[in-house]
Amino acid sequence: MTILDSLAVKSNAGKKSVAVLIDPDKIEDTSKLTPLINLANENCVDYFLVGGSLITSTNLSDVVSTIKEAVTIPVVIFPGSSMQIDPGADAILFLSLISGRNPDLLIGQHVVAAPILKNTNLEVIPTGYVLINSGRTTSVAYISNTTPIPDDKYSLAACTAMAGEMLGLKMMYLDAGSGAEKEINARMISTVRKSIKTPLVVGGGIDSARKAITALEAGADMIVIGNALEKNPNLLIEISDKVYDWNQSVEASK
Ligand code: 1GP
């Protein structure tokens, strides 16, 4: 089954997934990733996302291969640009930044990436990428040269996601940006959730189990955690336990 299909099946069943984001720019030595990879494996993390808004290092491939050599958790590239393609990963989020009006990130980079992707076995997941304002300017907002949707403009975000779905995008990613001051609020997540049928990914600023659960209860199918694990890797245990309990209770209620 493809990653997208398995996410859709879980989403339809009301089950949740957890992804750990690794930004290659923050990894000087890939051997230092081992504890996090093992922790993710022990706690049944569903996916690794690998990528960042600005990759200044050249170790995207090293990060991907370090994970692939150690565990069977699928690795999904979360690209900041068309430069970030690695055929060693399992899939790539083919992101269209639909909250912005930067043509390069709506279609331009995709034209450059398409022929390269065609020659790989990567699963290409067409994803509507929706940035939500999170307080101070995030790297992704600055680099993408786009204005995130204000965090109280619920219908604007919902209409954006709806349009993305109508254009054929198969997944929506609501992102407050890495290390966001404010995570995406529950009303925003639930409004978007109700407006679309595709799997919904939520990330940015999730640094506690409470925030993770709030996002899942509001309708996120998958939460992405990156920054917070640098300071407190054990947070992953707490969040994975909650997601496990959630999925068990869905199973028990069948
Ligand atoms: C960022 O959604 C991801 O694009 C994850 O954000 O690093 O804040 O967890 P954090």
Side-chain angles (χ1 to χ4, degrees), residues 18 24 41 52 78 98 121 126 131 133 151 154 203 209 227 231:
V18 179
N41 201 37
F78 175 38
I98 56 176
N121 290 319
L131 290 179
N133 184 29
D151 65 353
Y154 308 106
N227 230 56
K231 284 180 221 126

Side-chain angles (χ1 to χ4, degrees), residues 10-170:
K10 278 180 94 175
S11 168
N12 291 335
K15 291 188 180 175
K16 309 295 186 181
S17 306
V18 179
V20 167
L21 171 66
I22 296 176
D23 181 346
D25 273 344
K26 294 183 178 164
I27 312 298
E28 282 162 25
D29 172 2
T30 48
S31 68
K32 298 221 169 101
L33 276 175
T34 306
L36 180 61
I37 294 171
N38 291 338
L39 189 68
N41 201 37
E42 284 153 18
N43 287 281
C44 303
V45 159
D46 298 278
Y47 305 102
F48 278 105
L49 296 194
V50 180
S53 350
L54 173 81
I55 295 200
T56 51
S57 58
T58 50
N59 61 359
L60 174 73
S61 295
D62 292 344
V63 170
V64 171
S65 63
T66 302
I67 301 169
K68 293 300 296 174
E69 280 160 20
V71 293
T72 56
I73 300 171
V75 177
V76 180
I77 299 173
F78 175 38
S81 77
S82 60
M83 314 276 287
Q84 295 171 24
I85 295 175
D86 186 83
D90 296 282
I92 183 165
L93 301 183
F94 204 48
L95 299 171
S96 190
L97 181 44
I98 56 176
S99 57
R101 299 296 178 265
N102 180 343
D104 198 37
L105 300 175
L106 284 163
I107 182 66
Q109 299 262 328
H110 313 70
V111 174
V112 177
I116 302 167
L117 290 172
K118 195 97 178 158
N119 283 321
T120 70
N121 290 319
L122 288 168
E123 177 188 341
V124 176
I125 305 177
T127 304
Y129 191 40
V130 180
L131 290 179
I132 305 292
N133 184 29
S134 63
R136 63 170 186 256
T137 305
T138 55
S139 305
V140 62
Y142 181 81
I143 294 283
S144 66
N145 198 16
T146 67
T147 308
I149 294 176
D151 65 353
D152 58 350
K153 301 292 182 204
Y154 308 106
S155 40
L156 191 49
C159 294
T160 302
M162 269 191 256
E165 185 174 54
M166 288 174 187
L167 280 165
L169 299 172
K170 299 283 189 274

Side-chain angles (χ1 to χ4, degrees), residues 21 26 49 53 78 129 131 140 173-180 201-207 224-230:
L21 171 66
K26 294 183 178 164
L49 296 194
S53 350
F78 175 38
Y129 191 40
L131 290 179
V140 62
Y173 190 152
L174 281 183
D175 199 350
S178 198
V201 181
V202 173
I206 297 177
D207 58 6
V224 181
I225 306 151
N227 230 56
L229 298 178
E230 287 166 30

